Amino acid sequence: MHASTFTTTSGFLLPSVHSLPPFFTLQAACPPALAKFTDDWIKTILAYARHRQLFFLKVEDAETTGNEWDEVLKNERINRKLPPPFLEHIISTMVTRNLAVYEPAKQTRTVLLHWRLPQEWADTLHQWATDTGHLNTILTFYEITDPPVDSPLTGIPVPLLRHAIQELAKTNLAQIISIADGEGVRFFAPSGR
């Protein structure tokens, strides 16, 4: 069995383990193999999500075809696809490790991925506000997630945006404000400047 890397249509480089049929099998009878493959899947999923700027992963993505996850969850070259129970295990492990959160809460089939941790999103958000001259002004969440010029924050889900703002609020770099259209945020310069 020869393992080799492969570049997908979107330009993502799949690791060599992705070309091994056992990688697509829930190795419940062999805990060391299960742990290793779970770790490899998590790294691959998060790297792919970052590459494609995907925020959500659903168990249904392994059950259906023609979705944005096909390049990773399936390997037509070896006629394999990730079984939904294995993806459920991977998702559960990601949540346990704080690499994802169930979204919406109180269900276990869809997660919001943390290919950037909330603190990293907070840093990105504050840098964007600084670079675009939005310090001490009030912005709606919509103005941040759907700006006129694409930014690293374009399309960020509101729950993740809210979490990033809460991280900034802990250090007095942002404040959530109620406005007529819902919620907004004001960004502040770091103290001492």
Side-chain angles (χ1 to χ4, degrees):
M1 196 177 329
H2 178 67
S4 62
T5 59
F6 180 79
T7 303
T8 66
T9 305
S10 72
F12 181 73
L13 181 65
L14 290 167
S16 58
V17 70
H18 194 269
S19 65
L20 301 175
F23 186 55
F24 290 84
T25 305
L26 180 60
Q27 304 282 337
C30 184
L34 177 60
K36 171 72 171 115
F37 287 157
T38 299
D39 288 346
D40 289 342
W41 269 113
I42 290 171
K43 288 177 195 165
T44 302
I45 287 168
L46 291 175
Y48 183 74
R50 186 177 199 123
H51 170 76
R52 295 277 312 269
Q53 293 197 321
L54 302 174
F55 292 98
F56 293 96
L57 177 63
K58 304 174 189 149
V59 173
E60 287 77 20
D61 292 328
E63 298 170 334
T64 61
T65 58
N67 64 61
E68 54 203 2
W69 287 98
D70 279 354
E71 291 183 324
V72 170
L73 302 182
K74 296 168 182 57
N75 187 333
E76 293 178 5
R77 293 170 289 120
I78 59 171
N79 196 28
R80 292 288 191 267
K81 64 180 184 174
L82 187 67
F86 194 2
L87 183 54
E88 287 180 44
H89 168 75
I90 293 164
I91 284 173
S92 171
T93 304
M94 293 174 80
V95 169
T96 299
R97 296 180 185 174
N98 293 319
L99 298 172
V101 293
Y102 292 116
E103 182 63 40
K106 298 184 182 178
Q107 54 79 44
T108 58
R109 295 190 55 89
T110 302
V111 288
L112 176 59
L113 299 167
H114 287 169
W115 44 267
R116 273 191 186 145
L117 296 174
Q119 184 54 52
E120 292 174 292
W121 279 112
D123 295 343
T124 300
L125 176 59
H126 195 270
Q127 189 62 53
W128 173 81
T130 302
D131 292 348
T132 57
H134 288 105
L135 294 181
N136 296 313
T137 61
I138 298 173
L139 294 171
T140 64
F141 285 8
Y142 177 79
E143 289 171 308
I144 297 168
T145 63
D146 193 22
V149 176
D150 275 354
S151 81
L153 301 160
T154 299
I156 185 173
V158 170
L160 189 53
L161 175 62
R162 185 177 287 112
H163 200 120
I165 294 168
Q166 289 168 347
E167 289 290 322
L168 291 173
K170 291 177 188 175
T171 56
N172 298 319
L173 292 175
Q175 174 186 24
I176 292 180
I177 298 171
S178 294
I179 57 176
D181 296 348
E183 291 179 299
V185 61
R186 177 182 290 144
F187 297 99
F188 304 105
S191 59
R193 279 192 177 179

